[in-house]
């Protein structure tokens, strides 16, 4: 074969996506999960971590990068989703390590587990040197086959007292002048009613430097935080679904002002309207966020307000559940 034929053949292969200019093979068709080493681990997992006899929620997602490398994201029992650069897999066993996030220690968090037809299980070694067992099941897709039919709006807060709400811990929440108030850091506040799909309207006000959040089904936090209007949008700042979904605009008004969230949640799909601006539109929430009450994603859950990160006020809390 002459040189011209070889060059022509290479150009043809490059055009078909079979080889890159650097000689690296490129994907030309979908790679089947079952054909990949560790394919049984690919997907999202709802995890329960047994910490001193108490189940704490966690979450893991594993996906394929290229032909054979497994990567992912992990939500521990605190903090937000963290990237996993590589998930090691061999003969049904897997492991990974990730650096500290909000932990004060320098030690990596490591996880070792096994995947079977029944799910995953194993041990988490935390940055502070503790070891806890865990179990996990595949997360439900939460897809809906039809658009919801909405019921009647329900006032979750009567403007008088804490009827319909309960504090997780010693209560600091009070009602003053028709406003639901946490005057200082303390317990989180949870609605006694649980919901599946809904539209939620809530008005809130915070002081300078404060931080709170609205948890949907008790599992997915929409962030409330005093960050500057000039900050670029982030999943960790105002209006983000914590650690996962980035708003398309920074719609924050600032401390001392009443602000609004209008949130629609159907399955995993969420729309967030902050102060009249649609900042997240029908986006899928991958999994639970840090601070979730549990990892039972297929079940109804409450509305929950974060009260452990500084003073916060709420009023006009109205939910419209799906029928």
């Amino acid at each position: 074969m002459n040189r011209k034929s070889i060059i022509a053949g290479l150009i043809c292969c490059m055009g078909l996506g079979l080889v890159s200019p650097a000689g690296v093979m490129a994907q030309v068709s979908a790679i089947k999960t079952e054909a990949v080493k560790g394919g049984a681990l690919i997907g999202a997992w709802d995890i329960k971590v047994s910490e001193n006899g108490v189940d704490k929620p966690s979450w893991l997602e594993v996906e394929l990068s290229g032909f054979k490398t497994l990567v992912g994201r992990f939500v521990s029992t605190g903090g937000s989703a963290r990237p996993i650069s590589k998930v090691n897999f061999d003969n049904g066993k897997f492991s990974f390590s990730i650096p500290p996030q909000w932990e004060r220690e320098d030690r990596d968090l490591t996880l070792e587990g096994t995947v079977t037809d029944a799910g995953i299980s194993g041990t988490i070694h935390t940055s502070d040197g503790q070891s806890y067992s865990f179990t996990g099941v595949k997360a439900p897709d939460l897809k809906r086959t039809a658009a919801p039919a909405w019921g009647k709006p329900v006032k979750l807060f009567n403007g008088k007292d804490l009827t319909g709400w309960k504090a997780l811990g010693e209560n600091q929440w009070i009602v003053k002048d028709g406003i639901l108030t946490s005057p200082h850091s303390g317990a989180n506040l949870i609605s006694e009613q649980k919901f599946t799909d809904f539209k939620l309207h809530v008005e809130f006000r915070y002081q300078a430097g404060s931080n709170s959040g609205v948890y949907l089904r008790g599992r997915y936090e929409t962030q409330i935080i005093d960050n500057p209007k000039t900050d670029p949008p982030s999943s960790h700042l105002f209006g983000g679904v914590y650690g996962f979904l980035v708003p398309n605009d920074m719609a924050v008004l600032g401390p001392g002002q009443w602000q609004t969230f209008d949130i629609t949640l159907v399955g995993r799909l969420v729309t967030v309207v902050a102060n009249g601006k649609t900042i997240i539109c029908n986006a899928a929430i991958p999994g639970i966020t840090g601070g979730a009450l549990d990892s039972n994603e297929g079940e109804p859950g409450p509305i929950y307000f974060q009260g452990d990160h500084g003073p916060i006020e709420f009023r006009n809390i109205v939910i419209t559940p799906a029928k």
Side-chain angles (χ1 to χ4, degrees):
M1 184 179 293
N2 61 37
R3 184 177 179 184
K4 289 183 178 180
S5 297
I6 294 172
I7 294 173
L10 286 173
I11 292 173
C12 181
C13 288
M14 290 168 63
L16 292 174
L18 299 176
V19 63
S20 75
V24 179
M25 294 300 293
Q27 181 177 345
V28 294
S29 61
I31 298 173
K32 295 181 179 180
T33 298
E34 59 269 22
V36 177
K37 182 180 178 181
L41 190 60
I42 292 174
W45 299 86
D46 287 335
I47 294 173
K48 293 180 181 179
V49 182
S50 180
E51 292 189 3
N52 303 316
V54 178
D55 284 343
K56 298 290 186 67
S58 181
W59 178 85
L60 170 67
E61 180 185 57
V62 177
E63 64 178 353
L64 182 65
S65 176
F67 289 113
K68 60 183 179 180
T69 303
L70 298 179
V71 298
R73 291 184 287 185
F74 181 69
V75 177
S76 188
T77 54
S80 62
R82 293 185 253 181
I84 306 169
S85 61
K86 184 179 182 181
V87 179
N88 305 301
F89 188 92
D90 185 48
N91 196 28
K93 297 183 182 298
F94 66 96
S95 64
F96 62 82
S97 64
I98 49 177
Q101 188 181 54
W102 301 109
E103 299 89 346
R104 296 181 183 277
E105 296 82 9
D106 293 329
R107 184 188 294 114
D108 285 359
L109 178 150
T110 62
L111 182 148
E112 302 163 348
T114 302
V115 59
T116 67
D117 291 341
I120 59 175
S121 61
T123 304
I124 295 175
H125 307 283
T126 64
S127 294
D128 63 359
Q130 302 297 313
S131 295
Y132 302 113
S133 63
F134 75 87
T135 58
V137 297
K138 274 290 181 73
D141 59 32
L142 302 182
K143 290 181 180 178
R144 307 300 191 233
T145 57
W150 299 110
K152 295 182 179 180
V154 177
K155 287 187 176 182
L156 286 183
F157 172 52
N158 63 16
K160 300 175 182 179
D161 54 37
L162 296 178
T163 298
W165 296 85
K166 58 183 179 181
L168 279 184
E170 184 175 350
N171 178 48
Q172 82 285 358
W173 294 84
I174 59 174
V175 178
K176 183 177 181 180
D177 299 326
I179 297 172
L180 181 60
T181 303
S182 175
H184 54 79
S185 296
N188 299 322
L189 194 68
I190 299 170
S191 70
E192 293 179 351
Q193 293 187 64
K194 295 184 178 182
F195 306 93
T196 302
D197 297 340
F198 54 81
K199 296 188 292 185
L200 176 68
H201 172 84
V202 60
E203 300 175 14
F204 55 91
R205 180 170 64 182
Y206 52 78
Q207 299 177 14
S210 199
N211 178 320
S212 182
V214 177
Y215 279 77
L216 315 174
R217 297 193 200 118
R219 301 181 188 105
Y220 316 115
E221 181 189 7
T222 307
Q223 175 74 306
I224 297 173
I225 189 170
D226 177 28
N227 61 262
K229 299 178 184 179
T230 53
D231 278 358
S234 164
S235 66
H236 294 90
L237 297 181
F238 183 88
V241 175
Y242 194 65
F244 282 128
L245 302 182
V246 178
N248 60 32
D249 192 15
M250 182 52 69
V252 67
L253 298 182
Q257 301 187 60
W258 282 106
Q259 304 186 63
T260 62
F261 279 159
D262 287 280
I263 303 171
T264 302
L265 181 64
V266 178
R268 291 191 180 278
L269 301 180
V270 66
T271 295
V272 179
V273 180
N275 299 319
K277 295 181 179 180
T278 301
I279 58 173
I280 296 175
C281 184
N282 214 36
I285 305 175
I288 66 167
T289 62
L293 296 177
D294 60 49
S295 56
N296 305 324
E297 290 194 90
E299 299 179 2
I303 302 301
Y304 124 48
F305 296 143
Q306 196 172 45
D308 59 357
H309 281 45
I312 186 70
E313 298 173 301
F314 293 96
R315 69 182 186 187
N316 294 337
I317 307 163
V318 179
I319 194 165
T320 304
K323 292 182 179 179

